[in-house]
Amino acid sequence: MSANQLFLAKLDEAARWAQSSSVWPLTMGLACCAIEMMVIPAPQYDISRIGSEVFRSSPRQADLMIVSGRVSHKMAPIVRRLYEQMAEPKWVISMGACASSGGVFDNYAILQGVDQVIPVDVYVPGCPPTPDGLIYAINLIQQQIRTGGRGGILARA
Amino acid sequence: MSNLPEWIAGAGNRPDLDPTAVLTPEPPEVVARGDDEMVLSMGPQHPSTHGVLQVVLGIDGEEVVRAEPEIGYLHTGIEKTAENLFWNQALTVIDRMDYLGPLTNDFAFCLGVERLLRITDRIPRRAQQIRVMFAELTRITSHCIWLGTHAIDLGAISPFFYAVDLRENILDLIEAASGARMNMTYFRVGGVNGDLPDGWLERLDALIAKFPGRMRDLRDLLQKNPIWTDREIGVGIISAAEAVAWGLTGPALRASGVAYDLRKAYPYSTYDEYEFDVPTRTEGDSYARFLVRLDEMEEAMRIVQQVRKKLDPGPVMVDDPTISLPPKPSIGISMESLIYHFKLVSEGFRVPPGDVYAAVEGPRGEVGYYIVSNGENRPWRVRTRPASFYNLQALKKIAAGNLIADVVVMIGSLDPVFGEVDR
Amino acid sequence: MADRSFQTVSTAVDPTAVRQPIDDVDEIVRTTAGQLLEVLARLKSQGYAQLTDVGGVDYLERSPRFDVVYHLTALPTRASGVADVGRPKRARVLCGVDDGAAVPSAVRLWPNADWPEREVFDLFGITFGDHPDLRRIQMPADWEGHPLRKDYPLRGPARDRTPRPPFANKENVGSRVPPTGEVAERLRQEIFERMRGERSGESEATS
């Protein structure tokens, strides 16, 4: 392996380490799952230890969109617009049954899964999932960043 | 991602979905009146709007001239979904309306259906007392989240941690009895779903012992804090007459002077046996609403303590095999139990035709259900009287003439929950 | 030990009957769109200071098809303690409306009628005359149809979504419109008999 390739590989690894240790979520709290999402910075669960306690309200500053709650047809274009406003690289967790597949609401008002409007990386089952489940999902995102997938020095999808 | 079966829709799996297409939402029809007014949309994604609320503000500099809340971003069709589910199944979706106080919704719905079934006086005392206890614990958890998020909106982050810690302790208890932390659907038509586990009452005693210290912490952090008082006193004043006219109920109404609490006005489910006060203030501003809710948390714990002492032994479901499931162990040994279980799970029970309005005092006010039955095993119509819907409507009235920052204070002090507003 | 409410006939299901309340409200009035404002104004002058709720119900095959249901509470309008508030009276006003007919808006009597009337319009299609701002509130502005009508499919009009397995059958309309009068009474008795018979394990005559 040439010296250049080795250097870039190590740089990429460093970049991925930095990105995975500071995944900043976007406050996309919609419904009941948002309450469970809100308690993860609290002392009981504390995602500060994995670097994600900084919930950004502005999509420009966030890496991770946690779609927590049921997405109605009225809200869907707004979720899509916020996803587009996020800068690359970005990841999406679909938290809860409603965001993953429509959940208990198979009706006229609810999008049957937020993956109909944005691509999702990790789905978390539950209604609502316990905060432990969400933390595990963030851990999976970190794993995805560190071991291939989007991110690194190229930072493109 | 392209090796997923075709019927799993997903933006990555659907090459026909154009990922670059921008779906622009339609803005509401708001026309600025006058040259000095600018129209600003606050929300629906906003850190301080407590959920998916869009407030379209007409502003003149920093001052709000008009505020028009736009709701419906969380409309879930719960009422229509409930029309297609059995009565006990409908409870699961109705739980998800006021998701900060889920047992409130259950409580009102169960009371209504029990009235239609004419079994209100046959609900066992223990079930009623457990309902009271859990309703009050839910009230405390709901006010904890209100306090935490309201404080964060105003920049105070520490109270959130104290409040959520208290909430976690209570949720541990609720989870031990009902199986879930949130949206637990613990109440059923005819009683509650399962008795309290062993050792639960001792854990409750530990919580009761810890509570006064934690309330003291929460009060010390905020109540006399000059930043807090400056931002809250005199903001969003609603007079008693206005509050009644705008349909406010709950802490918002009591902070304006009218001591209307459904637990005292129309006592239901053994509430008349407990001694508790109804905190009331007359100023009608956000600080008064804040103090009323803090006092309510203490009154709720007072009720919990009294229920703890008076808890009767006995069954927790009404003794009627056509409504309540038989005990699980009996299914293996009794044919009748098996048949009742089968019929109840596959068909549900029938509720006589009629209509009823049943309301309870929730953390946000009067949560009621107007239930219409056509004699079948599914509701014909479940109309919710959503407390937050009416509380939030008052924002149109009180926001004008204040600063944008005050709008944040007002939304927090009215405490809307959008699962209930939008349903 | 006769439960007196056995003799009640529900106004919801039989629009021509005013029944004995089953203890949930103190006064029930059934009216039509033409007399609605008069009835509401009269009740307001009798002390019903708060409009607690406005809701709609679709009875599909009944004429008039819809009911707009108003719940009122007689709260005091000045600062009052618990003893002064006492047990406020409650009233229910049921206004029958046909498909396509309009109902006068109560917004001038109680300002908080604004949003719930918009919601009834949005979800049922009932228009409210002289409402200041009658537009959709829950559904997106360009939505077609009124979702809570009984003939609107639960899952929405046909659109691209995941197919469901054939055994998951959710038909939208309940199989029976609420029965009226004698039929309702008989059905009620039948259900109560069954509940009582199963409970005691033997059939007993209604007392």
Side-chain angles (χ1 to χ4, degrees):
Chain A
M1 199 192 309
S2 77
N4 276 350
Q5 283 171 322
L6 185 60
F7 173 67
L8 286 175
K10 283 297 168 192
L11 192 61
D12 191 69
E13 207 179 296
R16 286 175 184 277
W17 169 80
Q19 280 168 346
S20 68
S21 312
S22 65
V23 184
W24 289 0
L26 173 69
T27 55
M28 188 76 231
L30 298 171
C32 346
C33 284
I35 310 295
E36 296 292 49
M37 183 178 74
M38 270 191 319
V39 300
I40 51 176
Q44 232 80 342
Y45 297 100
D46 196 13
I47 50 165
S48 202
R49 22 182 196 137
I50 57 178
S52 303
E53 90 274 18
V54 192
F55 276 77
R56 311 309 301 167
S57 322
S58 164
R60 306 285 189 200
Q61 300 165 359
D63 305 307
L64 174 68
M65 176 190 259
I66 306 181
V67 183
S68 51
R70 44 207 193 238
V71 187
S72 69
H73 288 286
K74 199 166 174 178
M75 193 65 191
I78 293 160
V79 173
R80 173 80 200 177
R81 183 184 254 194
L82 286 166
Y83 177 75
E84 285 158 6
Q85 287 177 340
M86 285 166 73
E88 297 281 352
K90 54 193 171 186
W91 295 271
V92 176
I93 289 180
S94 154
M95 176 186 180
C98 292
S100 306
S101 70
V104 277
F105 303 111
D106 184 8
N107 57 26
Y108 62 90
I110 294 293
L111 208 61
Q112 300 296 298
V114 77
D115 57 2
Q116 293 193 352
V117 292
I118 57 178
V120 174
D121 293 292
V122 177
Y123 298 83
V124 191
C127 193
T130 54
D132 306 308
L134 183 59
I135 295 176
Y136 181 55
I138 300 180
N139 285 340
L140 285 178
I141 296 273
Q142 290 179 320
Q143 215 175 333
Q144 282 186 13
I145 299 174
R146 281 194 298 265
T147 61
R150 291 191 293 286
I153 51 176
L154 288 179
R156 281 269 160 257
Chain B
M1 285 225 275
S2 57
N3 58 351
L4 288 170
E6 203 203 86
W7 59 267
I8 295 180
N13 195 36
R14 294 278 305 280
D16 54 313
L17 268 188
D18 181 5
T20 60
V22 173
L23 310 167
T24 310
E26 289 287 333
E29 295 286 329
V30 175
V31 178
R33 296 182 231 142
D35 300 58
D36 288 336
E37 190 181 307
M38 178 180 121
V39 175
L40 179 72
S41 162
M42 183 172 159
Q45 191 261 353
H46 190 280
S48 307
T49 53
H50 285 245
V52 282
L53 169 67
Q54 179 183 40
V55 188
V56 181
L57 299 168
I59 55 178
D60 176 13
E62 193 71 19
E63 186 184 305
V64 172
V65 175
R66 272 180 312 144
E68 180 69 43
E70 293 290 328
I71 61 172
Y73 290 96
L74 197 59
H75 180 64
T76 319
I78 294 181
E79 296 176 346
K80 193 165 177 92
T81 309
E83 289 170 18
N84 285 268
L85 298 171
F86 302 147
W87 291 93
N88 266 336
Q89 289 177 336
L91 266 181
T92 59
V93 288
I94 279 167
D95 231 3
R96 283 147 174 84
M97 284 194 202
D98 175 2
Y99 44 77
L100 283 183
L103 293 177
T104 310
N105 316 311
D106 282 357
F107 208 166
F109 187 76
C110 287
L111 287 180
V113 180
E114 284 156 12
R115 271 237 181 91
L116 283 174
L117 284 166
R118 314 297 200 273
I119 56 171
T120 313
D121 45 359
R122 280 166 45 199
I123 309 289
R125 274 188 60 81
R126 187 178 175 89
Q128 295 185 7
Q129 289 168 326
I130 292 181
R131 281 180 171 180
V132 167
M133 192 150 58
F134 275 72
E136 295 307 311
L137 287 174
T138 305
R139 191 186 312 277
I140 301 174
T141 58
S142 170
H143 285 331
C144 282
I145 287 282
W146 158 78
L147 183 61
T149 51
H150 189 35
I152 286 191
D153 289 347
L154 270 60
I157 315 230
S158 306
F160 177 74
F161 296 127
Y162 285 85
V164 168
D165 183 56
L166 175 61
R167 179 184 151 90
E168 290 291 324
N169 292 338
I170 301 178
L171 285 183
D172 283 341
L173 282 175
I174 294 183
E175 187 181 12
S178 70
R181 290 156 50 98
M182 272 180 73
N183 299 339
M184 59 294 274
T185 320
Y186 183 43
F187 298 170
R188 298 294 153 89
V189 175
V192 297
N193 179 41
D195 208 339
L196 304 171
D198 294 331
W200 196 89
L201 290 171
E202 285 71 41
R203 289 168 68 180
L204 179 66
D205 289 332
L207 171 73
I208 294 175
K210 179 179 166 179
F211 184 77
R214 185 44 50 88
M215 276 310 293
R216 215 173 21 246
D217 289 336
L218 287 171
R219 283 189 191 270
D220 283 345
L221 279 168
L222 289 173
Q223 195 167 331
K224 299 241 176 42
N225 189 323
I227 305 176
W228 188 262
T229 52
D230 271 347
R231 285 210 65 181
E232 295 248 317
I233 292 185
V235 171
I237 297 181
I238 311 179
S239 70
E242 279 171 1
V244 170
W246 279 90
L248 290 184
T249 48
L253 179 64
R254 292 195 282 276
S256 296
V258 181
Y260 174 54
D261 185 330
L262 277 95
R263 298 171 292 173
K264 292 275 194 198
Y266 316 98
Y268 50 92
S269 189
T270 73
Y271 264 110
D272 43 357
E273 297 173 14
Y274 311 113
E275 257 185 53
F276 61 98
D277 297 320
V278 173
T280 314
R281 304 214 161 239
T282 48
E283 302 92 33
D285 59 5
S286 301
Y287 192 62
R289 293 190 276 272
F290 162 77
L291 291 175
V292 162
R293 286 198 184 95
L294 282 183
D295 291 338
E296 266 185 17
M297 287 167 76
E298 291 174 346
E299 293 301 319
M301 189 46 91
R302 204 169 141 198
I303 299 177
V304 170
Q305 280 175 288
Q306 292 173 53
V307 179
R308 159 78 178 99
K309 285 201 200 68
K310 288 191 183 175
L311 198 58
D312 289 337
V316 292
M317 268 296 261
V318 70
D319 175 27
D320 190 331
T322 56
I323 297 171
S324 59
L325 285 172
K328 206 62 193 281
S330 71
I331 292 180
I333 48 178
S334 156
M335 193 56 177
E336 284 84 20
S337 287
L338 183 64
I339 294 176
Y340 286 134
H341 180 96
F342 176 74
K343 296 220 81 154
L344 274 173
V345 170
S346 60
E347 277 180 8
F349 51 84
R350 288 154 73 202
V351 171
D355 59 344
V356 70
Y357 177 74
V360 300
E361 180 72 24
R364 273 148 209 94
E366 176 177 342
V367 176
Y369 286 88
Y370 175 64
I371 304 169
V372 179
S373 163
N374 67 341
E376 285 207 322
N377 52 1
R378 293 182 294 185
W380 182 260
R381 170 82 170 111
V382 178
R383 157 76 195 167
T384 322
R385 192 270 172 194
S388 312
F389 186 78
Y390 292 95
N391 288 354
L392 188 63
Q393 212 187 165
L395 189 69
K396 284 194 297 187
K397 168 110 181 69
I398 58 175
N402 289 292
L403 303 176
I404 299 181
D406 293 333
V407 174
V408 170
V409 174
M410 282 184 254
I411 295 177
S413 72
L414 289 173
D415 195 15
V417 168
F418 288 90
E420 196 175 44
V421 173
D422 293 340
R423 278 158 286 126
Chain C
M1 31 165 263
D3 183 351
R4 64 175 171 82
S5 50
F6 278 19
Q7 276 76 46
T8 64
V9 174
S10 161
T11 23
V13 297
D14 181 354
T16 59
V18 176
R19 60 159 185 160
Q20 309 283 334
I22 65 175
D23 232 11
D24 57 342
V25 294
D26 298 290
E27 205 176 322
I28 299 184
V29 180
R30 174 160 283 284
T31 178
T32 58
Q35 295 164 328
L36 176 67
L37 282 183
E38 201 183 296
V39 168
L40 289 177
R42 173 174 58 84
L43 287 170
K44 182 174 178 191
S45 65
Q46 285 173 0
Y48 287 97
Q50 181 175 87
L51 176 66
T52 298
D53 191 37
V54 183
V57 190
D58 180 1
Y59 288 105
L60 195 61
E61 284 162 27
R62 187 192 77 171
S63 169
R65 176 175 172 181
F66 299 104
D67 256 358
V68 182
V69 185
Y70 298 78
H71 283 94
L72 309 170
T73 312
L75 288 182
T77 49
R78 299 177 309 129
S80 327
V82 177
D84 300 314
V85 171
R87 188 199 163 93
K89 291 186 301 173
R90 287 209 198 261
R92 180 182 304 144
V93 178
L94 299 131
C95 176
V97 188
D98 267 315
D99 195 3
V103 177
S105 167
V107 105
R108 230 159 277 120
L109 291 170
W110 294 279
N112 68 333
D114 182 358
W115 277 10
E117 286 178 351
R118 276 176 67 187
E119 186 177 325
V120 171
F121 163 69
D122 185 6
L123 300 176
F124 287 96
I126 300 170
T127 44
F128 287 85
D130 56 84
H131 187 280
D133 183 21
L134 197 66
R135 57 190 164 94
R136 290 193 179 265
I137 188 172
Q138 304 281 19
M139 307 308 298
D142 55 355
W143 197 266
E144 279 166 24
H146 299 282
L148 248 63
R149 289 189 170 206
K150 286 288 182 175
D151 47 3
Y152 191 91
L154 171 66
R155 301 177 76 210
R159 68 173 81 223
D160 216 21
R161 60 186 183 277
T162 47
R164 304 180 75 240
F167 56 79
N169 174 29
K170 281 202 192 310
E171 82 270 8
N172 177 52
V173 182
S175 52
R176 259 194 307 189
V177 180
T180 62
E182 276 300 313
V183 179
E185 202 42 52
R186 255 199 317 255
L187 178 58
R188 216 170 281 130
Q189 295 302 336
E190 186 197 312
I191 294 176
F192 290 136
E193 285 260 348
R194 205 162 141 256
M195 281 166 63
R196 261 174 313 188
E198 308 278 8
R199 179 161 55 100
S200 63
E202 53 184 356
S203 57
E204 45 180 332
T206 19
S207 51

